Amino acid sequence: MKRIPIVLIAALAAGAPAVALDAPNIVPISESLVTSGQPTRESLAALKSEGFEAVIYLAPDSVPDAIADEAEILQAQGVEFVHIPIVFKTPALAEVDQVAQTLERLDGRKVLVHCQVNMRASTVTFLYRAGWRGEDPATAYESVTRVWVPEGAWKELVIDALAARGVAFDPF
């Protein structure tokens, strides 16, 4: 896991905008969607100034690097906080559906989807993009491989979620 200090991260090759954020494995998807690992407390406190309007947090509160008052830090700025805890060893289709429904509701707003190191966030955001938004799955999957290649329960989740949405794509 590499931590990137507060610098502009250019994603020009992917056509995504630069993002100022202090978190591991930042992956800008578009002008309005970014995935990452756990941002620092200071970075969370500056998200509104970076234009973020909502944060979806996918790790359980019990993970070691969770920021206990993340919701309060964000709400104090007027940034919506949505917590959908996904236990890493047992991800479920219902959780993917919940994230997708939340992203649909937040459409048009700048959103950060994060977890600990961007494994949950990158994978679930890919499934949303390919399964709900109809984006090209091969292109959308590139944002996952910038962080990892899902295995075990996550590989099964990807296969099941794509099949459930009728997306003919096998990244494995």
Side-chain angles (χ1 to χ4, degrees), residues 10 13 16 27 36 46 49 72 97 106 127 139 141 148 153 159 164-165:
V27 180
S36 78
S49 68
E72 291 80 13
D97 290 343
L106 295 170
L127 292 170
T139 301
Y141 191 68
W148 75 314
I159 292 166
R165 298 299 295 185

Side-chain angles (χ1 to χ4, degrees), residues 31-52:
E31 291 283 334
S32 61
L33 185 59
V34 176
T35 66
S36 78
Q38 177 66 58
T40 63
R41 175 179 299 283
E42 296 76 21
S43 194
L44 287 171
L47 283 181
K48 182 70 170 187
S49 68
E50 292 295 327
F52 287 95

Side-chain angles (χ1 to χ4, degrees), residues 138-159:
T139 301
Y141 191 68
E142 291 172 6
S143 63
V144 177
T145 60
R146 290 180 61 187
V147 180
W148 75 314
V149 175
E151 55 189 36
W154 283 91
K155 180 177 178 179
E156 291 175 29
L157 178 71
V158 168
I159 292 166

Side-chain angles (χ1 to χ4, degrees), residues 49-69:
S49 68
E50 292 295 327
F52 287 95
E53 299 172 83
V55 170
I56 302 172
Y57 178 42
L58 301 181
D61 286 333
S62 60
V63 297
D65 58 352
I67 296 178
D69 58 344

